Amino acid sequence: MRHRIPLALCSLLPGTALAANLDLSIELPRLDVAEYHRPYVAVWLEREDKSVAANLTVWYQQKKAAPAGGAAPAAAPAAGAPAGGGMQGGGNAQGGVKWLPDLRQWWRRSGRELTLPVDGVTGATRAPGEHALSFSLADLPAGQYKLVVEAAREEGGRELLDIPFQWPAKDAQPLKAKGSRELGAIVLGLKP
């Protein structure tokens, strides 16, 4: 599966014009657990001062659309039950926004300041497997950055990987990181 989101990054990054791409492959491992829930995943670019240069993608449980012909109002949650539902289950109409703070690093860096969903950035959770993404870095100013990938899963763990890189890249270069539980192989391809 390949997604191309050229305008998402361009709209977030002021600066110089460079024709270049960032190709990314994210592996979500298939886990042999009793109750599997797809992970929430956030991917962003971080500057040397740890500020966010751009949110590239955020996968979380999306709000379910109302069925055609109108829907009966949802039953009120039981006392003490979360209003936003769980990370995957629950069949709620609110989506999983309530659980986005479980992506702790991303939430502290920029997630809590966003109005979700963000067009071109947010999307539904993904099944285990390899997921290919591509972004235009046309407006990314020169500098030192980190690609950061964070995953959190209900009844599971949390894992964060980063790959430092210099921009603009002098050569096409694949950079890699490997997770140990919630994330598999992460491959960052830079095209100058």
Side-chain angles (χ1 to χ4, degrees), residues 162-186:
D162 62 49
I163 300 175
F165 67 95
Q166 179 72 37
W167 187 255
K170 293 179 182 158
D171 306 309
Q173 50 182 311
L175 302 171
K176 300 177 182 176
K178 176 82 173 156
S180 61
R181 177 86 180 144
E182 303 298 333
L183 291 168
I186 307 295

Side-chain angles (χ1 to χ4, degrees), residues 84-98:
M87 277 187 148
Q88 283 295 308
N92 65 71
Q94 302 299 316
V97 173
K98 178 176 180 163

Side-chain angles (χ1 to χ4, degrees), residues 25-29 129-131 161 176-179 183-187:
S25 173
I26 299 173
E27 180 186 19
L28 299 178
E130 275 190 33
H131 302 278
L161 296 173
K176 300 177 182 176
K178 176 82 173 156
L183 291 168
I186 307 295
V187 180

Side-chain angles (χ1 to χ4, degrees), residues 24-29 36-44 55-62 87-88 96 99-107 111 114 116 121-129 131 133 135 147-154 157-161 181-186:
L24 178 62
S25 173
I26 299 173
E27 180 186 19
L28 299 178
Y36 178 79
H37 299 280
R38 293 179 178 183
Y40 281 26
V41 175
V43 181
W44 69 98
N55 281 298
L56 299 180
T57 194
V58 180
W59 301 336
Y60 68 101
Q61 183 186 10
Q62 302 290 292
M87 277 187 148
Q88 283 295 308
W99 301 100
L100 283 171
D102 286 351
L103 294 166
R104 288 184 235 150
Q105 195 82 337
W106 170 77
W107 186 254
L114 297 176
L116 298 168
V121 174
T122 55
T125 57
R126 307 289 171 91
H131 302 278
L133 304 164
F135 303 92
L147 171 84
V148 187
V149 181
E150 183 175 23
R153 192 169 50 83
E154 183 180 3
R158 178 184 154 274
E159 189 164 20
L160 184 140
L161 296 173
R181 177 86 180 144
E182 303 298 333
L183 291 168
I186 307 295

Side-chain angles (χ1 to χ4, degrees), residues 5 8 11 115 117-122:
I5 309 171
S11 64
T115 300
V118 178
D119 193 29
V121 174
T122 55

Side-chain angles (χ1 to χ4, degrees), residues 12-50:
L12 297 172
L13 298 171
T16 60
L18 301 170
N21 280 338
L22 178 155
D23 292 325
L24 178 62
S25 173
I26 299 173
E27 180 186 19
L28 299 178
R30 184 170 304 281
L31 302 174
D32 187 19
V33 294
E35 187 176 346
Y36 178 79
H37 299 280
R38 293 179 178 183
Y40 281 26
V41 175
V43 181
W44 69 98
L45 296 181
E46 194 172 273
R47 299 181 188 96
E48 281 187 290
D49 65 0
K50 300 196 181 299

